[in-house]
Structure formats: C-alpha cells, structure tokens
Amino acid sequence: MRAGLFLVLALGAALAQAFLKGITHEELEGVLKAAEIPYERTDEGQYRLEMAGLEKVWLYMDYCQEERCGVLTLSAGFTLEGPPGLDLLNAWNRDRRFSRAFLDEEGAVWVESDLDLTGGVSLGAVKAFLELFAEEILPGFMEHIGFEP
C-alpha cells in the first residue's frame, strides 16, 4: 500500500515538473540549445535567432513576473522593393491560424507568432513552437510575400 502511495505521489511530482507556467531565461536558452537554434541574447527578455536562412528573427519574453515570463513572441521583418498590398497580408491573416502579418511605420512587412505559457506548457511545447515558426511559418510567409533570403 505504501509503495503504491509513493508511486502515485512520485508520478504527481513528475507531472507537476513537466508543465511550467511561464519560462525563465535559463529554461528558454536550454530549449534553444536543444533545438540547435543559434541565438544571441540582445537585451533583457530579447533574443536574436537564426532561422530559415534568416539572421535576424526576434524572440521576446513578455508578461514577466519575477523570473518567469508567460508569453513568448517570435517576430521577423522583411524589407521589400515596395510594401506588399494589404490584400496579400489580409490573405495571410485570413488563411493562417498561428501567425499574423502586418506593415510597420516604415513599410516593412512583419510576421509574428505568440505562445501563451500562463496555463502551463511543457518545454517540448516551447521547442515545437520554435520549430513550427522556423520550418513552416517563416518559409511559408517568405514564399507568400516573394522574399528570398
């Protein structure tokens, strides 16, 4: 009986550790290393990543309380010969679920994606978020706007 109770308690402790409500810099950097994504910490809560042939993909940690941050945002900007039409960006936003596109004040076009960690996620989910942006969102968006790195 005691062995069964110990097993249940140990399993509960393991599951509690598997899901995080927010992420620290150390945990995030561990995920970036495990995913083999080159990065540089440029500021508090800000990283420059290399993904999909791009040298400047931005990762922001937001909604931070104490050492844990509850939101991760990936962002990449592109300067084109001329800004794309709003119909092109609206088509991206209408047809894609996990990212959004917009024009900034200078006419550069951006794609962003957020991951909310506040409800609890695993480090594997953070890695999957990074891989989705690198392997699907960025290449798809570059093709959509006609950008070649």
Side-chain angles (χ1 to χ4, degrees), residues 15-137:
L15 289 174
Q17 290 176 6
F19 290 93
L20 307 168
K21 290 189 175 187
I23 193 166
T24 66
H25 286 283
E26 293 76 22
E27 291 164 341
L28 178 58
E29 290 173 14
V31 172
L32 290 168
K33 287 176 186 171
E36 299 181 352
I37 298 172
Y39 71 91
E40 173 189 6
R41 190 170 170 180
T42 59
D43 202 356
E44 185 64 30
Q46 180 176 314
Y47 293 82
R48 184 191 55 77
L49 311 178
E50 294 180 24
M51 292 180 156
L54 301 173
E55 294 180 0
K56 291 185 179 177
V57 176
W58 302 103
L59 173 61
Y60 302 99
M61 300 174 79
D62 199 6
Y63 194 66
C64 300
Q65 297 176 355
E66 297 178 16
E67 291 185 12
R68 293 207 168 274
C69 296
V71 176
L72 295 177
T73 300
L74 284 164
S75 183
F78 304 87
T79 303
L80 305 173
E81 290 292 322
L86 293 180
D87 288 343
L88 186 71
L89 297 182
N90 286 339
W92 178 268
N93 291 332
R94 180 187 61 242
D95 297 338
R96 305 308 190 293
R97 296 193 75 121
F98 301 109
S99 63
R100 65 187 164 278
F102 62 92
L103 289 174
D104 70 10
E105 302 80 31
E106 288 88 36
V109 61
W110 289 80
V111 63
E112 287 187 340
S113 187
D114 296 317
L115 179 64
D116 182 351
L117 309 166
T118 59
V121 297
S122 68
L123 292 179
V126 174
K127 183 178 179 204
F129 169 68
L130 295 166
E131 290 171 347
L132 175 69
F133 198 76
E135 297 169 11
E136 294 188 30
I137 293 173

